Amino acid sequence: MNTNQEGWFSGGDSSCRPEQPVAAHPCRLVLLGPPGVGKGTQAELLCRQLRACHLSTGELFRAAKRNGASSPMMQEALDTMQRGQLVSDEMVVSMVRERTQCLRCCGGFLLDGFPRTVSQAEELSRMMEELGVTLDAAVSYELPLEEIVDRLSGRRTCPSCQSVYHVTANPPVVEDQCDHCQSRLMQRDDDRPEAIRVRMEAYQSETEPLIDFYEQAGLLQRIEASGSPQEILAKTLRLLKERGVSEQCLTG
Ligand code: AP5
């Protein structure tokens, strides 16, 4: 159910307008992988196929930055993010808790960037248990470090419509200009080399342990993330199908 994501961005009781019919079986996935591996790119492609909603915690923070941080706590979180460090579990979990309607949504979801620590994963399991819903799989994208650094350092984003480009792999038609709204493309603050290094370290120490966490839960699906976005999408859909993730949500 590709929605306008109002429920996710506004929180509380806000609800979304479905733009597609809801799939017969809602797909509920967690996307894992190092910064820049292509989770956001795959989430956008997958949510059209699975009719699920792309829920990104990083996008919540970037939206708060665009709108002007609403509290000292949010400003502190944005400073933390700019340095490439992880925001506190307490803050991220409370943001997701304010949006539990998205976790129980009949359209399903693709969580991108949450959970990012074992404590967040345990909290997500608790929230889902309380809501009476289950996760279908945790998809872990994997790529050699040098390719990841190339993807991150070449990323350009549109500050108006948030479209994502890559200077060589997915360039805009006109250099530095968004194809959709013609705004001037920018580089994310945390895609500077020093912040990339901090993000990689945070991934290795805090997020990589989630691979074992979801493997032990029997939910892990590893995916080698080389190739074009469409090739990786096809691989992901094939492996999800092989895992028995309901065919009804794999609409193709
Ligand atoms: P977040 O926004 O989640 O960032 P991230 O995990 O670092 O992931 P990225 O958005 O950088 O990369 P991606 O894997 O989505 O790659 P993309 O598809 O854009 O989080 C940002 C920050 O917020 C964190 O550092 C933290 O501070 C905070 N935060 C968020 N959630 C948190 C949480 N739960 N706990 C604590 N803190 C939290 O692709 C990258 C580039 O590669 C693009 O240019 C794209 O065009 C290109 N590309 C994609 N696929 C391909 C391909 N197949 N071939 C060639 N190029 C490709």
Side-chain angles (χ1 to χ4, degrees), residues 33-42 56-59 61-62 77 80-81 84-89 92 112-116 120 151-152 154-156 164-166 169-170 188 190-191 199 225-229 232:
V37 75
K39 301 177 297 295
T41 302
Q42 288 305 310
S56 157
T57 40
E59 283 302 328
F61 290 121
R62 284 185 284 279
T80 304
M81 179 176 167
Q85 294 164 337
L86 294 187
V87 176
S88 72
D89 286 344
V92 181
D112 165 14
F114 180 88
R116 233 181 176 97
Q120 291 179 19
R151 285 187 187 179
L152 279 177
R155 172 165 54 193
R156 298 291 180 273
V164 177
Y165 299 86
H166 187 276
N170 177 27
R188 261 170 54 175
D190 58 352
D191 282 347
R199 285 161 71 199
S226 59
S228 71
I232 301 163

Side-chain angles (χ1 to χ4, degrees), residues 220-241:
L220 189 73
Q221 180 61 63
R222 292 175 189 269
I223 297 190
E224 207 233 309
S226 59
S228 71
Q230 286 298 336
E231 285 166 346
I232 301 163
L233 171 71
K235 208 184 300 183
T236 308
L237 291 172
R238 179 171 50 76
L239 290 168
L240 285 175
K241 200 167 171 184

Side-chain angles (χ1 to χ4, degrees), residues 49-107:
Q49 298 286 322
L50 304 176
R51 302 185 194 175
C53 198
H54 177 192
L55 308 180
S56 157
T57 40
E59 283 302 328
L60 282 184
F61 290 121
R62 284 185 284 279
K65 186 176 177 190
R66 286 193 295 279
N67 299 333
S70 52
S71 64
M73 204 175 160
M74 179 56 85
Q75 188 53 56
E76 194 186 322
L78 296 179
D79 293 344
T80 304
M81 179 176 167
Q82 183 159 345
R83 290 192 296 270
Q85 294 164 337
L86 294 187
V87 176
S88 72
D89 286 344
E90 190 193 359
M91 174 147 194
V92 181
V93 166
S94 86
M95 285 168 75
V96 175
R97 273 215 172 264
E98 279 170 32
R99 292 163 170 82
T100 51
Q101 84 279 10
C102 295
L103 301 182
R104 66 164 173 255
C105 173
C106 59

